[in-house]
Amino acid sequence: MQILIALLLAAASTIPAPATESPASGQQDCLSNRDIKGRRLSAEKGYFARTSRGWWRNLAACPAYGPNRALITRSLNDRQCRGDIVSVVDPFTRMEFGGCGLGAWQQVTDDEVPPAKGN
């Protein structure tokens, strides 16, 4: 039993920690749902999220995104990460337009973000 525990500990120590942020490129794998203060969806430009550190664009394209649509995320953690699937729905009827896989998050400037609904 002690040998098994020692082998498991040795194996765990060689597994690299998942990369969540690459400061040099302004990219990261995940955004915390608690940090997201606002969202914008555009079929042409993609999915944007505003945090206290500015705006972030998800690098995966999805034709189901649109300005009058909402996202439903299903995750075991409180983050939106590369590889997670989001469902795109009408916020009033809950009609689903499809699911999209998230990519990495890239920090962007304010002028790259599509205008809010009605602007």
Side-chain angles (χ1 to χ4, degrees), residues 5-43:
I5 293 171
L7 288 173
L8 289 173
L9 289 174
S13 67
T14 61
I15 298 172
T20 57
E21 188 167 352
S22 174
S25 66
Q27 286 187 14
Q28 60 186 48
D29 289 339
C30 300
L31 287 183
S32 168
N33 285 324
R34 293 176 190 221
D35 289 343
I36 297 174
K37 310 296 183 212
R39 293 179 179 89
R40 305 261 173 88
L41 296 173
S42 166

Side-chain angles (χ1 to χ4, degrees), residues 8 11-12 17-18 36 38 50 58 60-61 94 96 104:
L8 289 173
I36 297 174
R50 183 177 55 83
N58 194 273
R94 293 290 199 193
E96 192 168 328

Side-chain angles (χ1 to χ4, degrees), residues 1-7:
M1 183 65 151
Q2 291 176 340
I3 295 173
L4 179 59
I5 293 171
L7 288 173

Side-chain angles (χ1 to χ4, degrees), residues 57-79:
R57 178 178 180 262
N58 194 273
L59 297 177
C62 179
Y65 292 153
N68 295 316
R69 297 182 180 174
L71 297 180
I72 297 175
T73 58
R74 293 178 180 92
S75 179
L76 298 175
N77 56 40
D78 186 36
R79 301 180 301 166

Side-chain angles (χ1 to χ4, degrees), residues 14 17 19 22 32 45 50 58 89 105 107 109-110 119:
T14 61
S22 174
S32 168
K45 294 187 175 186
R50 183 177 55 83
N58 194 273
V89 300
W105 292 93
Q107 194 160 25
T109 62
D110 290 350
N119 289 350

